[in-house]
Amino acid sequence: MNRKLCIVLASLVFLLPAGCALLDPGPPMANVILPLQLPAGSQAERMPVQLLVARPSADGATNSDRIMALMNGYEIRALDSAKWVSPVPAIVQRQLVDALEASRRFAAVNWEESNVDDKYRLSTDIRRFFLRYDVSGSAPVADTAMVFSLVRSDTGKIVARRFVRVEEACQGNSLDAFVAAFSRAMTKTLAQTTEWVVQTLEAQPLAEGAKK
């Protein structure tokens, strides 16, 4: 009997470290911001228009604060070591506002929650915002794709629509390389989108209403 008891106690002592390891949360998850380079401001005259930037829509793979990776062309996984400081739609909305303001071409650029009488609304549908692993063992690609729509706020009519997809290869398989690739992709996306918004609204009869 004593021998059996000793065996049981020895087994419990052996298993205890393994059980504790399962409860160990490990190092805290890093919170990551998405740095980018804003488009240069224009010296042209500001247009007499206030532009509202709506919060982007996104599906389950991108509507979160997790940094997602696409594996094997169909499997979505989240990075365990880091996450964005905010959900991706909030990050994209904030950066769109910053980029459009930096262009210096609008009387004002507002958030959706501002309740200002804006004539035009910029809507965004985020289609892709993840790391894509094309080859096992290699560094991934930061794959971003968004559909932008300029909408008349008073009529709901879509004035113009544009699809922007940017792919940036990661220079390594590290968090620093991932963030740098996403930063390059968003910098290019914002530059293209800002130029498109300005050119589209310049072609609209904006000044007539402002002069009356």
Side-chain angles (χ1 to χ4, degrees):
M1 182 67 179
N2 291 337
R3 179 183 175 126
K4 290 182 179 179
L5 181 59
C6 289
I7 292 174
V8 171
L9 290 175
S11 299
L12 289 175
V13 171
F14 177 76
L15 291 173
L16 184 59
C20 292
L22 291 175
L23 298 176
D24 184 1
M29 185 177 291
N31 291 307
V32 180
I33 64 171
L34 181 57
L36 74 158
Q37 183 177 348
L38 293 175
S42 172
Q43 299 301 316
E45 183 180 358
R46 291 180 185 266
M47 291 180 283
V49 61
Q50 294 187 116
L51 179 64
L52 185 150
V53 178
R55 185 181 176 90
S57 61
D59 62 16
T62 53
N63 191 18
S64 77
D65 60 357
R66 302 305 300 273
I67 302 175
M68 308 301 292
L70 178 66
M71 320 289 292
N72 307 316
Y74 62 86
E75 183 182 357
I76 289 286
R77 300 180 187 176
L79 266 64
D80 294 330
S81 59
K83 65 178 181 177
W84 302 117
V85 292
S86 302
V88 170
I91 293 174
V92 172
Q93 183 185 29
R94 175 73 261 179
Q95 293 192 342
L96 282 168
V97 171
D98 289 345
L100 291 164
E101 284 181 334
S103 72
R104 302 175 186 171
R105 293 305 317 279
F106 307 98
V109 182
N110 302 304
W111 296 90
E112 188 172 17
E113 297 81 6
S114 62
N115 293 321
V116 177
D117 185 18
D118 303 280
K119 189 172 183 180
Y120 290 92
R121 172 190 297 259
L122 178 65
S123 298
T124 307
D125 181 17
I126 302 173
R127 300 287 178 85
R128 306 171 77 90
F129 201 94
F130 47 68
L131 300 167
R132 193 185 74 238
Y133 282 87
D134 295 327
V135 180
S136 178
S138 65
V141 171
D143 189 351
T144 65
M146 304 175 199
V147 177
F148 299 98
S149 300
L150 272 172
V151 183
R152 280 286 299 257
S153 299
D154 53 351
T155 65
K157 179 182 177 181
I158 296 176
V159 175
R161 179 173 286 171
R162 182 181 178 88
F163 175 73
V164 179
R165 183 177 182 183
V166 180
E167 300 170 85
E168 284 290 326
C170 298
Q171 304 303 310
N173 227 330
S174 66
L175 180 60
D176 287 346
F178 299 160
V179 173
F182 273 118
S183 176
R184 294 193 301 271
M186 277 305 296
T187 295
K188 292 180 180 179
T189 296
L190 293 172
Q192 292 182 39
T193 303
T194 299
E195 182 180 10
W196 169 74
V197 171
V198 169
Q199 292 178 350
T200 301
L201 293 184
E202 280 181 332
Q204 302 301 311
L206 302 175
E208 286 78 350
K211 293 179 180 178
K212 290 180 180 180

